[in-house]
C-alpha cells in the first residue's frame, strides 16, 4: 500500500467511524483532557506575558529605590547626571476621615512626572469607564480608589482629611502603577500631592513611611546607575527593577500553575482511563476489518500505519477543539479572578495551543496506543474462525505507557522528578485505597441482593458482574466529588472559624505609629473611654543582616533566601515580661540583670526557616547603625491572638536609643467605632488597623480563590463522566443483547428501565459514599494537622455526596442505556 | 498451482493433542475447479486456511504458485495472498465502513494497481450492481453483499480463488445466481477455484472433489 492510499483509506474509515458514533467518547475524552490543560496554559501564559510586557508600566518606572528615610540628594543628582529622569513619592498608611466615617487607606504622595512609565487611570465617578490620565492631583486635591469612596460614602467633589490636612476629591483612581507587588493589598488607595504631606502631620520621626525614588531611562543608563548605586545601598534600602517586580508576580503565577496543574492532572488521568476504555472497544470492533485487510494482502506495517494515521488525525482534531474550549474556560477563570489580578492579561502566544496539541497526543499515545497496537497482530485466519483474537496487550506495555504519559505531563507542572514521583505515588496509593473501598462497598451492596425487588436485583447484578469497570467509575466520581467536598468544607469551616474564633473581647483593632510623646496621652485617652488596651509596645524598624557574622543570604538555605523576613524591615521591640500566649521552647527568658545585655529572643517559625538556634549571633541594622545580639531563647507565638507580636524581642536597654514608635491593640464593639474618629483627630500620626475590615477582605479573596479551584475541579467531574460513558459504551453490545433476550422472554420496557436506573443510582450513591469517607479522612488530617481546628463529624457530606452522585450518575446512566430499549429485540437477536 | 504434501494440523485440547488434519497430499492444477467436501467438522475450513496461507500447518508443506508458503513469514504470505489469491466467504466479510465501490477498490489500492476506481466500477457493473456503488454493506441485501464480495475477489485477477461456503448465508435462488456469477467470472479469468462446501449440488459443478472425513482425504470421484 503506498502512502497516499493509506491516508485516503485511513481518512475514509475515520470519517465513517465518526459518523457511526464509534469515536465520540474517545474524542470527547481527548477534548476534556486538552481543554483542562490548555485552560490553565492560556491563563498562565496570558498573565505571564502581561507581566513581562507591562512590568515597567506596573512598576511606574524602570527602577525604583525604596527607603524608610530620605536618601542623600547626591544620589538623585548622580541619576540626573547619568541621564535618567527622576520622580519622588512617599508611601504610608493613614486613617482617612470624612465626616463621621473613617477608613485606613494606602496613601501615596507624588510629585510631577509620576509615574515615569505607564499611566495612571482615572474615572469621573465610581464604577464609570476609566481612561488614562497624564496628570497628578494638584495641591489640596486627592484622587481616591472607588472602594475608599464607597467606604466613606463620598462622591467626587467631597472633602476628606488625611491627618490634619483637608483634601478635595477630584477624580476616581482606578489604576496606579507600582501596586503590582501587592495584588492582595488590603487598604484602598489614595493619591495626593507630595507638597501637602507636611501639613498632614503624618510624618514624624519613627513613622512607618516609605520614600520612593523613581528612575527612567535607557536600559544602558539604568544599568550604569544601578551599578553605581548598588555599592552605596544600606540594608534598609530596597532596589526594585523590572526583573524584581516580575519575580514577585512570577512566583505567585508559578505556584498557581503548579497547584492548578496538579488538579488538572487528576482530570487528565481520568480522561486517560476513558480513552483507554474507548480505545479498547475501538480495537475490538476492528478485529474483523484487520483480519480481512491481512487476508487481502495488507502487511502489519500497512495496518499499523492505517490505524496510527486515524489516531493521529483524531487526536489533532479533538485537541484543536479542546484548545478552543480551553480558551473559553480560561476566560471564565480570568473573570473569576478579575478583582485579584495585579495586571491585565496580554494576548496569548502559540505556546498553550502547541502544548495543548501535544497533551492530546501524549494522552492518546499513552492510553490508546497499546490496544490499537493489538490490531496489527490480528491473525488473518479470523476471517474463517471469528473466535480468534490477537493476544491481549502486554500488561507492562499497557500500564507502562499510561504511566509514562502521566509522568511526562505531570513533569510540566511540577518541574521536578521528586515531586512528580511523590504525587504519582500519593495518587496511586489514594486510588488504590479508594478503589478498594469502592470494591468493598460494591460487595456489601450485593448482599442486599436477596432483599430487593427484581429491578434492583437486575441493577445490582450488573454492577457486580462488571465490577472492574464499576470500581473504576466509583473511583472516578468519588475522587471528583471528594475534591469538591473538601474544598467546600474547608471554605465554609475556615470562614466560620475565623468569625467564631474571635471571642467577644479579643482585640479587633491595632493602633500603630503612636509617637513616644503620645504614649501616655493615648493611654489616658483609652482609659477615659474605658477601652482596655494590651500593653503598649515600642517598635524599632530594623533589618536582620547577619547570622553568626555571615551575610544572612549566605547563611540560610536556598529556599529561605526569598523569605519575606529577609526582604523587609522587621519590627523590633523590647520588654521585660513574656507575652501571655508566648512560650519559650529553647533557651531562657530574660533574668534580672539582662537589661542592657545584647540578647534577643526569636520567634520559633522564623528561627526554623532561617536555621537560627540559641547562642547564634544575629546582626541587625537600624538606620545606618549596626549591632549584634546573641540568641537567648526561641519563642512560639500565637499570631492569631490579635495581640501585638514580634519576631525579635530584646531586653530593655539594647535598642532603646533608636527612634521608636509604639503600638497597642484593643477591643472595640462595632457601636463604638466613632471613638476611632476622635482618636485619629487627636493624634493624626496614628494608624488604626481595623481587623474586622481586614478579615472581611481576606475572606473575599479566600472565597474567590476557592471558587477558582472548584471551577478547575469541574474538569475532573467532566472527566468522570467520560469514564462513565466509556464504560457504558464498552458494555453496550452486551447490554443490547441481554435487553433483547429479556424482552423476548417477556420483560417490559419499564422493568428494564427501572433496572438501569437502579444500577446507576447505586453506582452514583456508592461513588458519593466513597467521596464522603474520603472527605471525612482528608478533612480530619487537614483540620488536625494543618489548620489546627477542632474536628467535627461532617454529617452533611454523608447525605449530600451520595445524593448528588445518585442524581448525576443515575441521570447520565439512564440516558446512556436508552438504546437498550429503543432497538427492536428481533433485529438485535438476529444480528447476533 | 496449489500443492500440499504430508499436510497436518494438530491442536492441543484439554483431552490431549488432536489432529484436525493429517497426511493430506494434493495437487490442484492451473484453471482447475476443485470442491472440498465433507460434513461439518471434517476439517474443510482448516484445509482452506492452510492452502491459502492464512494459517501455518503443524506438519507438511504447502506451495501456492511455486511459493513455499510455510517457510514465509506472515507478511510474506500476506504479499502472496495480495498478488495471487482472491477470497469469497460465507459471511461476505465486507468492510462496513466502506461503500460497495470502495470495498472492491481496496485490494487494488493495497497493491497500488493503476486506475482502481475504473476497474472496480467495471467489475461492479459486471456483477449487476452499477446502481449500488455508493451503498454501504448495511444497505445491501445478502445476495448483493456477496456479489460485491465476488467483484472484490476478482478485482486483482487472482490466479487462485478460495471460496468458503459462498452460499451458506443465502436463500437457494439467490445462492444460485451468485454461484452462476462466480463460475462465469472464474471461466473468464481462467482462475483456479478451490471451493469449500457441504452442498453436494454446488460441489457437483466442480471438475474434481476432495472429500474429507475426520481430517483425512478419502478417495473421491471425479465430477460427472
Amino acid at each position: 500500500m503506498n502512502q497516499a492510499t493509506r491516508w485516503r483509506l485511513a481518512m475514509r474509515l475515520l470519517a465513517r467511524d465518526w459518523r457511526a458514533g464509534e469515536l465520540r467518547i474517545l474524542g470527547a475524552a481527548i477534548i476534556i483532557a486538552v481543554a483542562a490543560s490548555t485552560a490553565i496554559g492560556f491563563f498562565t501564559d496570558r498573565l505571564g506575558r502581561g507581566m513581562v510586557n507591562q512590568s515597567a508600566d506596573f512598576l511606574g518606572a524602570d527602577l525604583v529605590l525604596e527607603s524608610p528615610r530620605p536618601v542623600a540628594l547626591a544620589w538623585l543628582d548622580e541619576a540626573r547626571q547619568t541621564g535618567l529622569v527622576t520622580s519622588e513619592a512617599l508611601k504610608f498608611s493613614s486613617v482617612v476621615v470624612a465626616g463621621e466615617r473613617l477608613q485606613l487607606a494606602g496613601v501615596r504622595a507624588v510629585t510631577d512626572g509620576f509615574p515615569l512609565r505607564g499611566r495612571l487611570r482615572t474615572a469621573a465617578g465610581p464604577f464609570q469607564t476609566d481612561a488614562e490620565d497624564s496628570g497628578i492631583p494638584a495641591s489640596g486635591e486627592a484622587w481616591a480608589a472607588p472602594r475608599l469612596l464607597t467606604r466613606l460614602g463620598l462622591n467626587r467633589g467631597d472633602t476628606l482629611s488625611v491627618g490634619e490636612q483637608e483634601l478635595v476629591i477630584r477624580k476616581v483612581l482606578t489604576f496606579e502603577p507600582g501596586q503590582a507587588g501587592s495584588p492582595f493589598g488590603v487598604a484602598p488607595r489614595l493619591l495626593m500631592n507630595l507638597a501637602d504631606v507636611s501639613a498632614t502631620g503624618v510624618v514624624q520621626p519613627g513613622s512607618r513611611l516609605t520614600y520612593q525614588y523613581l528612575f527612567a531611562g535607557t536600559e544602558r543608563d539604568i544599568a550604569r546607575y544601578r551599578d553605581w548605586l548598588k555599592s552605596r545601598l544600606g540594608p534598609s534600602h530596597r532596589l526594585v527593577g523590572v526583573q524584581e517586580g516580575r519575580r514577585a508576580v512570577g512566583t505567585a503565577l508559578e505556584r498557581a500553575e503548579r497547584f492548578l496543574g496538579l488538579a488538572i492532572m487528576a482530570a487528565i488521568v481520568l480522561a486517560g482511563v476513558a480513552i483507554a476504555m474507548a480505545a479498547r472497544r475501538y480495537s475490538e470492533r476492528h478485529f474483523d476489518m484487520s483480519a480481512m485487510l491481512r487476508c487481502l494482502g495488507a502487511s502489519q506495517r500497512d495496518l499499523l500505519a492505517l490505524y496510527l494515521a486515524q489516531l493521529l488525525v483524531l487526536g489533532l482534531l479533538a485537541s484543536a477543539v479542546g484548545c478552543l474550549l480551553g480558551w473559553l474556560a480560561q476566560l471564565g477563570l480570568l473573570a473569576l479572578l478579575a478583582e485579584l489580578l495585579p495586571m491585565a492579561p496580554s494576548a496569548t502566544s502559540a505556546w498553550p495551543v502547541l502544548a495543548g496539541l501535544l497533551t492530546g497526543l501524549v494522552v492518546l499515545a499513552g492510553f490508546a496506543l497499546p490496544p490499537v497496537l493489538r490490531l496489527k497482530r490480528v491473525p488473518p485466519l479470523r476471517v474463517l474462525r471469528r473466535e480468534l483474537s490477537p493476544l491481549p496487550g502486554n500488561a507492562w506495555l499497557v500500564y507502562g505507557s499510561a504511566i509514562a504519559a502521566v509522568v511526562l505531563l505531570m513533569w510540566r507542572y511540577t518541574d521536578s522528578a521528586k515531586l512528580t514521583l511523590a504525587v504519582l505515588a500519593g495518587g496511586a496509593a489514594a486510588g488504590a485505597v479508594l478503589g478498594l473501598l469502592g470494591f468493598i462497598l460494591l460487595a456489601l451492596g450485593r448482599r442486599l441482593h436477596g432483599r430487593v425487588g427484581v429491578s434492583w436485583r437486575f441493577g445490582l447484578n450488573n454492577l457486580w458482574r462488571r465490577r472492574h469497570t464499576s470500581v473504576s467509575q466509583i473511583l472516578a466520581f468519588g475522587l471528583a466529588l471528594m475534591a469538591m467536598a473538601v474544598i467546600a468544607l474547608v471554605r465554609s469551616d475556615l470562614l466560620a472559624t475565623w468569625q467564631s474564633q474571635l471571642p467577644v473581647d479579643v482585640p479587633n483593632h491595632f493602633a500603630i505609629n503612636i509617637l513616644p510623646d503620645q504614649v501616655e496621652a493615648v493611654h489616658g485617652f483609652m482609659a477615659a473611654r474605658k477601652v482596655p488596651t494590651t500593653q503598649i509596645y515600642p517598635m524599632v524598624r530594623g533589618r536582620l543582616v547577619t547570622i553568626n557574622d555571615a551575610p544572612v543570604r549566605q547563611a540560610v538555605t536556598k529556599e529561605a533566601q526569598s523569605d519575606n523576613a529577609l526582604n523587609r524591615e522587621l519590627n523590633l521591640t523590647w520588654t521585660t515580661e513574656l507575652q501571655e500566649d508566648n512560650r519559650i521552647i529553647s533557651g531562657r527568658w530574660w533574668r534580672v540583670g539582662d537589661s542592657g545585655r545584647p540578647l534577643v529572643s526569636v520567634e520559633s517559625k522564623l528561627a526554623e526557616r532561617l536555621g537560627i538556634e540559641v547562642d547564634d549571633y544575629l546582626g541587625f541594622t537600624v538606620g545606618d547603625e549596626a549591632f549584634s545580639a546573641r540568641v537567648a531563647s526561641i519563642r512560639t507565638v500565637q499570631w492569631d491572638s490579635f495581640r501585638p507580636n514580634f519576631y525579635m524581642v530584646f531586653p530593655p536597654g539594647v535598642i532603646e536609643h533608636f527612634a521608636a514608635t509604639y503600638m497597642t491593640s484593643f477591643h472595640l464593639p462595632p457601636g463604638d467605632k466613632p471613638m476611632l474618629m476622635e482618636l485619629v483627630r487627636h493624634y493624626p500620626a496614628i494608624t488604626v488597623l481595623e481587623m474586622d475590615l481586614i478579615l472581611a477582605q481576606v475572606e473575599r479573596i479566600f472565597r474567590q480563590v476557592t471558587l477558582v479551584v472548584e471551577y478547575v475541579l469541574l474538569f475532573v467531574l467532566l472527566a468522570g463522566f467520560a469514564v462513565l460513558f466509556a464504560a457504558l459504551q464498552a458494555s453496550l453490545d452486551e447490554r443490547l443483547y441481554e435487553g433483547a433476550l429479556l424482552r423476548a422472554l417477556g420483560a417490559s420496557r419499564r422493568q428494564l428501565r427501572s433496572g438501569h436506573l437502579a444500577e446507576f443510582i447505586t453506582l452514583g450513591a456508592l461513588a458519593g459514599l466513597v467521596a464522603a469517607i474520603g472527605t471525612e479522612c482528608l478533612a480530619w488530617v487537614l483540620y488536625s494537622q494543618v489548620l489546627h481546628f477542632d474536628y467535627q463529624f461532617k454529617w452533611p457530606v454523608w447525605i449530600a455526596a451520595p445524593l448528588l452522585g445518585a442524581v448525576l450518575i443515575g441521570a447520565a446512566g439512564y440516558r446512556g442505556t436508552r438504546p437498550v430499549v429503543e432497538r427492536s429485540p428481533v433485529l438485535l437477536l438476529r444480528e447476533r | 498451482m496449489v500443492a500440499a504434501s504430508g499436510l497436518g494440523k494438530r491442536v492441543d485440547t484439554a483431552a490431549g493433542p488432536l489432529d484436525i488434519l493429517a497426511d493430506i497430499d494434493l495437487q490442484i492444477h492451473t484453471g482447475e475447479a476443485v470442491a472440498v467436501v465433507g460434513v461439518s467438522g471434517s476439517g474443510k475450513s482448516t484445509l482452506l486456511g492452510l492452502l491459502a496461507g492464512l494459517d501455518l500447518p503443524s506438519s507438511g508443506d504447502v506451495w501456492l504458485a511455486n511459493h513455499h508458503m510455510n517457510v514465509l513469514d506472515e507478511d510474506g504470505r500476506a504479499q502472496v495472498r495480495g498478488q495471487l489469491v482472491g477470497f469469497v466467504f460465507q459471511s461476505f466479510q465486507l468492510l462496513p465502513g466502506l461503500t460497495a465501490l470502495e470495498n472492491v477498490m481496496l485490494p487494488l489500492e493495497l497493491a497500488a494497481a493503476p486506475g482502481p476506481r475504473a476497474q472496480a466500477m467495471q467489475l461492479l457493473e459486471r456483477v449487476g450492481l452499477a446502481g449500488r456503488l455508493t451503498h454501504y454493506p448495511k444497505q445491501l441485501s445478502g445476495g448483493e453483499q456477496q456479489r460485491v464480495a465476488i467483484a472484490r475477489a476478482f478485482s486483482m485477477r487472482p490466479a487462485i480463488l478460495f471460496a468458503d461456503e459462498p452460499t451458506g448465508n443465502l436463500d437457494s435462488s439467490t445462492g444460485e445466481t451468485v454461484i452462476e456469477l462466480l463460475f462465469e467470472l472464474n471461466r473468464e479469468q481462467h482462475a483456479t477455484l478451490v471451493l469449500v462446501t457441504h452442498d453436494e449440488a454446488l460441489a457437483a459443478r466442480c471438475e474434481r472433489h476432495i472429500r474429507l472425513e475426520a481430517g483425512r482425504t478419502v478417495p473421491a470421484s471425479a465430477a460427472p
Side-chain angles (χ1 to χ4, degrees):
Chain A
M1 214 180 335
N2 62 32
Q3 212 64 9
T5 310
R6 270 185 203 152
W7 272 105
R8 244 196 340 264
L9 185 61
M11 289 314 100
R12 230 182 280 150
L13 293 173
L14 184 68
R16 181 71 193 159
D17 277 345
W18 181 261
R19 277 199 298 276
E22 293 283 320
L23 300 170
R24 271 178 211 160
I25 306 278
L26 199 56
I30 301 169
I31 289 173
I32 291 170
V34 173
S37 81
T38 44
I40 304 300
F42 278 126
F43 177 71
T44 48
D45 181 70
R46 291 186 63 196
L47 290 185
R49 295 170 66 78
M51 184 175 76
V52 172
N53 294 341
Q54 302 160 34
S55 16
D57 292 0
F58 275 108
L59 204 56
D62 293 326
L63 190 67
V64 176
L65 170 64
E66 292 191 345
S67 165
R69 280 164 294 280
V71 300
L73 283 175
W75 291 12
L76 304 182
D77 290 341
E78 174 67 24
R80 285 181 209 110
Q81 273 163 29
T82 313
L84 301 180
V85 193
T86 65
S87 171
E88 285 175 48
L90 181 67
K91 279 202 313 186
F92 55 93
S93 290
S94 180
V95 173
V96 173
V97 181
E100 294 302 303
R101 301 200 193 184
L102 71 168
Q103 167 66 39
L104 179 69
V107 183
R108 173 136 65 170
V110 296
T111 52
D112 275 334
F114 177 90
L116 298 177
R117 295 275 187 244
R119 286 286 167 83
L120 293 163
R121 294 182 72 88
T122 58
F127 311 111
Q128 293 185 19
T129 322
D130 64 345
E132 285 187 355
D133 197 313
S134 53
I136 63 162
S139 177
E141 292 179 4
W143 296 357
R147 199 147 56 90
L148 184 63
L149 296 180
T150 326
R151 290 271 170 82
L152 294 174
L154 293 180
N155 276 313
R156 201 157 67 110
D158 292 344
T159 305
L160 51 68
S161 33
V162 177
E164 290 156 11
Q165 172 73 21
E166 293 211 329
L167 300 169
V168 180
I169 299 157
R170 277 282 166 251
K171 286 174 182 170
V172 176
L173 183 66
T174 53
F175 175 76
E176 178 190 358
Q179 285 311 106
S182 57
F184 302 116
V186 167
R189 311 286 312 163
L190 184 81
L191 199 68
M192 60 184 283
N193 198 299
L194 191 60
D196 294 334
V197 169
S198 58
T200 62
V202 170
V203 179
Q204 304 283 346
S207 302
R208 287 178 69 116
L209 302 167
T210 304
Y211 292 84
Q212 285 190 315
Y213 302 91
L214 291 80
F215 306 98
T218 63
E219 210 169 307
R220 225 192 62 215
D221 291 342
I222 288 284
R224 218 147 46 115
Y225 181 61
R226 207 186 166 111
D227 285 343
W228 181 86
L229 197 57
K230 243 180 188 168
S231 56
R232 289 165 173 81
L233 291 181
S236 60
H237 295 122
R238 202 168 87 109
L239 201 55
V240 186
V242 174
Q243 270 103 24
E244 287 90 347
R246 251 179 235 173
R247 205 174 301 144
V249 185
T251 313
L253 206 57
E254 237 167 63
R255 283 199 193 131
E257 184 178 23
R258 193 175 276 201
F259 178 73
L260 294 178
L262 289 179
I264 283 303
M265 276 315 294
I268 293 180
V269 169
L270 287 184
V273 171
I275 289 171
M277 283 180 173
R280 195 176 151 170
R281 174 183 147 99
Y282 172 85
S283 164
E284 282 165 3
R285 285 174 78 88
H286 286 76
F287 283 172
D288 285 343
M289 184 171 101
S290 305
M292 192 59 222
L293 284 168
R294 302 285 286 130
C295 206
L296 293 176
S299 65
Q300 293 200 336
R301 251 182 73 120
D302 288 337
L303 282 192
L304 200 60
L306 193 65
Y307 290 116
L308 288 187
Q310 293 187 60
L311 222 50
L312 182 72
V313 171
L314 176 70
L316 286 174
L317 286 177
S319 299
V321 175
C323 283
L324 196 69
L325 292 181
W327 170 261
L328 294 176
Q330 156 265 161
L331 292 180
L333 210 51
L334 284 175
L336 279 178
L337 279 174
E339 270 186 72
L340 301 184
L341 293 178
M343 71 205 84
S346 268
T348 188
S349 68
W351 281 111
V353 177
L354 207 65
L357 294 181
L358 262 173
T359 302
L361 294 183
V362 168
V363 175
L364 198 58
F367 289 89
L369 211 48
V372 171
L373 284 180
R374 256 181 105 190
L375 280 169
K376 77 169 188 165
R377 296 197 309 270
V378 173
L381 193 61
R382 188 180 161 95
V383 293
L384 295 174
R385 293 175 48 199
R386 277 209 66 198
E387 75 279 10
L388 288 180
S389 297
L391 292 173
N394 180 325
W396 285 106
L397 179 70
V398 174
Y399 292 107
S401 68
I403 291 172
V406 171
V407 166
L408 199 66
L409 291 174
M410 204 179 287
W411 200 306
R412 187 179 145 213
Y413 293 117
T414 58
D415 214 9
S416 122
K418 215 167 108 187
L419 189 57
T420 303
L421 284 179
V423 171
L424 207 62
V433 169
L434 288 183
L436 185 68
L437 197 61
F439 191 80
I440 291 170
L441 288 177
L442 208 55
L444 288 177
R446 197 174 139 72
R447 292 241 170 142
L448 293 176
H449 193 249
R451 275 170 258 162
V452 291
V454 61
S455 296
W456 283 92
R457 206 157 58 223
F458 176 73
L460 290 176
N461 246 340
N462 271 343
L463 283 181
W464 182 251
R465 205 151 37 103
R466 303 190 183 96
R467 50 191 170 274
H468 292 298
T469 45
S470 297
V471 167
S472 68
Q473 291 165 77
I474 291 175
L475 189 61
F477 282 107
L479 200 69
L481 291 173
M482 179 179 85
M484 293 180 129
V486 168
I487 296 289
L489 266 184
V490 168
R491 174 174 50 211
S492 68
D493 282 348
L494 214 52
L495 292 179
T497 312
W498 280 344
Q499 280 147 10
S500 71
Q501 260 187 356
L502 295 180
V504 239
D505 45 358
V506 147
N508 57 0
H509 289 79
F510 284 93
I512 61 175
N513 280 349
I514 303 171
L515 302 176
D517 57 3
Q518 295 174 338
V519 171
E520 281 310 310
V522 169
H523 208 78
F525 178 93
M526 293 297 202
R529 284 157 188 80
K530 300 203 166 57
V531 178
T533 60
T534 55
Q535 190 185 336
I536 297 190
Y537 289 89
M539 278 194 319
V540 171
R541 312 251 292 149
R543 258 171 201 267
L544 174 65
V545 285
T546 61
I547 299 177
N548 293 330
D549 293 330
V552 74
R553 272 167 209 285
Q554 288 165 30
V556 300
T557 60
K558 222 172 173 187
E559 293 89 66
Q561 280 178 10
S562 58
D563 200 296
N564 214 14
L566 303 183
N567 293 317
R568 62 181 177 89
E569 292 198 315
L570 301 173
N571 291 316
L572 316 177
T573 194
W574 69 89
T575 180
T576 33
E577 293 301 313
L578 183 63
Q579 277 242 26
E580 254 176 73
D581 51 25
N582 286 196
R583 216 161 43 79
I584 302 288
I585 53 169
S586 91
R588 57 165 188 84
W589 187 245
W590 320 140
R591 293 185 191 134
V592 185
D594 280 344
S595 265
R597 290 183 60 194
L599 298 174
V600 63
S601 171
V602 185
E603 190 265 340
S604 62
K605 291 239 166 73
L606 179 75
E608 195 181 320
R609 287 204 302 275
L610 302 184
I612 296 172
E613 287 170 7
V614 170
D615 289 340
D616 281 350
Y617 281 89
L618 305 185
F620 296 90
T621 57
V622 174
D624 298 326
E625 192 179 325
F627 66 96
S628 84
R630 185 170 59 82
V631 177
S633 64
I634 309 277
R635 224 165 5 103
T636 59
V637 167
Q638 209 181 325
W639 289 106
D640 53 11
S641 68
F642 292 99
R643 293 166 202 276
N645 265 308
F646 300 87
Y647 282 134
M648 304 288 175
V649 177
F650 295 83
V654 181
I655 55 172
E656 263 169 53
H657 60 289
F658 294 113
T661 58
Y662 288 76
M663 76 176 293
T664 185
S665 67
F666 52 93
H667 177 83
L668 206 59
D672 290 356
K673 289 254 179 188
M675 191 215 84
L676 294 177
M677 199 89 57
E678 270 182 87
L679 180 70
V680 177
R681 287 220 169 108
H682 276 91
Y683 311 102
I686 291 182
T687 299
V688 177
L689 301 174
E690 293 170 90
M691 292 315 290
D692 45 353
L693 297 187
I694 291 171
L695 276 181
Q697 170 76 355
V698 171
E699 250 180 63
R700 211 167 51 90
I701 292 166
F702 182 70
R703 266 182 219 281
Q704 269 173 313
V705 170
T706 50
L707 210 60
V708 164
V709 176
E710 278 182 351
Y711 181 81
V712 168
L713 286 176
L714 276 184
F715 282 109
V716 182
L717 195 65
L718 264 183
F721 277 108
V723 173
L724 172 73
F725 281 107
L728 262 181
Q729 195 193 36
S731 63
L732 194 60
D733 288 339
E734 209 177 297
R735 284 175 192 276
L736 284 171
Y737 179 68
E738 281 168 7
L741 213 57
L742 285 170
R743 277 159 76 197
L745 293 174
S748 70
R749 274 163 169 254
R750 240 199 60 191
Q751 278 172 319
L752 281 182
R753 292 309 270 148
S754 341
H756 293 145
L757 201 56
E759 178 181 345
F760 291 102
I761 284 181
T762 310
L763 190 70
L766 289 183
L769 211 54
V770 165
I773 296 172
T775 304
E776 196 73 51
C777 298
L778 204 61
W780 181 77
V781 173
L782 216 63
Y783 282 36
S784 60
Q785 303 301 313
V786 184
L787 301 172
H788 302 290
F789 285 178
D790 286 337
Y791 186 74
Q792 277 157 357
F793 183 62
K794 305 292 169 203
W795 63 266
V797 176
W798 292 82
I799 296 169
L803 202 67
L804 192 67
V807 169
L808 282 179
I809 296 161
Y814 190 73
R815 169 72 187 74
T817 46
R818 210 165 59 183
V820 174
V821 292
E822 277 183 346
R823 296 226 199 125
S824 147
V826 184
L827 280 179
L828 285 167
L829 291 174
R830 198 190 283 158
E831 270 175 22
R832 192 77 172 185
Chain B
M1 177 55 67
V2 182
S5 80
L7 200 61
K9 181 75 183 174
R10 169 177 290 193
V11 292
D12 290 318
T13 68
L18 173 74
D19 285 315
I20 303 177
L21 284 178
D23 298 331
I24 307 282
D25 293 295
L26 57 81
Q27 288 254 338
I28 298 170
H29 302 289
T30 308
E32 224 183 345
V34 176
V36 179
V37 293
V39 296
S40 267
S42 58
K44 303 187 297 289
S45 292
T46 306
L47 179 60
L48 181 89
L50 290 177
L51 294 181
L54 295 174
D55 196 8
L56 286 173
S58 314
S59 57
D61 298 284
V62 180
W63 284 271
L64 208 63
N66 299 325
H67 294 283
H68 192 174
M69 293 301 272
N70 44 312
V71 300
L72 292 176
D73 66 2
E74 183 31 57
D75 275 347
R77 295 199 299 277
Q79 204 182 351
V80 174
R81 283 196 301 267
Q83 285 163 1
L84 297 174
V85 182
F87 287 98
V88 177
F89 299 101
Q90 177 176 4
S91 52
F92 322 136
Q93 302 275 18
L94 298 177
L95 299 195
L98 301 183
T99 62
L101 180 65
E102 288 165 350
N103 262 291
V104 179
M105 282 165 65
L106 187 57
L108 295 163
E109 290 183 317
L110 286 174
R117 179 171 286 268
Q119 283 194 56
M121 281 168 72
Q122 209 179 345
L123 267 163
L124 279 168
E125 203 173 321
R126 175 70 187 79
V127 299
L129 291 176
R132 293 272 193 274
L133 299 184
T134 56
H135 286 55
Y136 286 97
K138 260 194 170 167
Q139 301 164 318
L140 298 171
S141 71
E144 287 172 328
Q145 288 190 49
Q146 195 59 303
R147 280 192 272 163
V148 175
I150 289 172
R152 177 178 68 184
F154 283 102
S155 64
M156 282 297 290
R157 308 196 136 270
I160 314 151
L161 184 76
F162 288 99
D164 180 36
E165 306 275 13
T167 59
N169 275 358
L170 302 173
D171 63 61
S172 56
S173 78
T174 311
E176 194 65 32
T177 327
V178 163
I179 283 303
E180 208 52 59
L181 195 61
L182 183 70
F183 276 90
E184 265 178 49
L185 277 164
N186 196 48
R187 269 196 301 278
E188 282 171 23
Q189 295 199 1
H190 308 292
T192 308
L193 175 67
V194 180
L195 177 75
V196 165
T197 184
H198 63 274
D199 178 354
E200 295 292 341
L202 178 54
R205 301 189 58 155
C206 296
E207 295 152 18
R208 189 150 69 92
H209 294 179
I210 295 170
R211 186 170 295 280
L212 284 180
E213 273 177 23
R216 287 164 194 275
T217 44
V218 293
S221 55

